[in-house]
Amino acid sequence: DGGITQSPKYLFRKEGQNVTLSCEQNLNHDAMYWYRQDPGQGLRLIYYSQIVNDFQKGDIAEGYSVSREKKESFPLTVTSAQKNPTAFYLCASSIDGLGEQYFGPGTRLTVT
Amino acid sequence: EDQVTQSPEALRLQEGESSSLNCSYTVSGLRGLFWYRQDPGKGPEFLFTLYSAGEEKEKERLKATLTKKESFLHITAPKPEDSATYLCAVGNQGGKLIFGQGTELSVKP
């Protein structure tokens, strides 16, 4: 089955701790994306990568970091510098970075 | 500035009561308009891509249309299982998707 997987589904952390969210795809897509979704707001782009070993900041990159060492994987680290990290995080991929994006099931992060 | 506005924010329908959701957009160089369905606690599910004014796409009870300024998602004779949040997004020249805030649809039996 081709698709995008995110793990874990729920994640709890204490303030001051860094945490890494996993995103894997077996669709052979070149581009991958990380979004954040908060109640009452649209999806906001954190980081994206059009090709392996390259990535760009999105609209709200502060306090986050990513890597793209393999085509299939695009992990997101939420650092202690992120002021309001509690949110629903969504990973997506697209064939060539121009067309529709396909989303994973999401990770709900709660930081207390 | 690229922008997407969806209306209404919430819509309550009776089963079988047809209606439409609106997505208005401004974008520098449209590279597709995308509709998604999102169920609570889940990732968005891709529905349609529209590329040019006048284009229409259909899937079961859903039909999406596109003009130069807006898109409509028409829902014909909806069922309770159509209840979800429907998201609209436009692709811009930079290859990013700009999302609206969504319309929360509730269909009562």
Side-chain angles (χ1 to χ4, degrees):
Chain A
D1 266 348
I4 303 173
T5 57
Q6 291 185 244
S7 60
K9 188 174 176 63
Y10 299 98
L11 193 53
F12 298 88
R13 282 294 183 270
K14 295 291 187 184
E15 262 188 38
Q17 293 179 333
N18 291 355
V19 59
T20 298
L21 281 59
S22 168
C23 177
E24 304 277 331
Q25 55 100 358
N26 61 4
L27 300 168
N28 200 33
H29 285 178
D30 284 328
M32 297 186 74
Y33 309 81
W34 274 106
Y35 292 90
R36 169 183 174 137
Q37 188 173 38
D38 295 284
Q41 298 197 39
L43 275 67
R44 293 184 290 168
L45 182 64
I46 304 173
Y47 267 98
Y48 63 106
S49 168
Q50 304 274 38
I51 197 169
V52 175
N53 291 322
D54 188 39
F55 50 83
Q56 287 79 40
K57 293 182 179 180
D59 301 317
I60 56 165
E62 186 176 349
Y64 300 97
S65 66
V66 294
S67 63
R68 186 87 186 278
E69 297 176 1
K70 299 187 298 181
K71 188 174 185 178
E72 307 80 34
S73 179
F74 192 41
L76 173 74
T77 296
V78 184
T79 76
S80 56
Q82 168 50 231
K83 301 295 182 192
N84 297 296
T86 294
F88 189 49
Y89 290 87
L90 288 159
C91 178
S93 69
S94 72
I95 292 176
D96 56 7
L98 297 175
E100 59 268 13
Q101 296 177 14
Y102 295 89
F103 285 83
T107 292
R108 186 165 298 280
L109 173 65
T110 302
V111 177
T112 57
Chain B
E1 181 185 354
D2 299 336
Q3 194 169 3
V4 176
T5 302
Q6 292 188 245
S7 62
E9 289 185 12
L11 181 62
R12 292 188 175 189
L13 300 174
Q14 288 297 125
E15 185 172 2
E17 180 187 1
S18 301
S19 187
S20 297
L21 282 56
N22 177 263
C23 172
S24 299
Y25 65 90
T26 54
V27 64
S28 55
L30 180 69
R31 285 187 171 273
L33 184 139
F34 308 89
W35 281 99
Y36 290 85
R37 169 192 170 126
Q38 186 176 24
D39 293 300
K42 297 189 176 181
E45 173 191 350
F46 169 71
L47 293 173
F48 304 110
T49 305
L50 302 167
Y51 287 107
S52 56
E55 190 175 357
E56 298 183 353
K57 293 271 181 75
E58 285 190 65
K59 180 180 180 180
E60 296 181 355
R61 295 176 292 281
L62 300 177
K63 182 167 109 175
T65 62
L66 181 64
T67 72
K68 288 186 177 179
K69 294 183 180 180
E70 58 192 349
S71 176
F72 291 94
L73 185 65
H74 307 278
I75 303 176
T76 303
K79 298 182 177 182
E81 53 262 42
D82 294 321
S83 297
T85 295
Y86 290 86
L87 302 174
C88 170
V90 294
N92 66 10
Q93 291 284 5
K96 297 180 185 179
L97 291 192
I98 314 301
F99 281 85
Q101 294 184 333
T103 293
E104 186 178 352
L105 174 66
S106 174
V107 182
K108 300 298 183 185

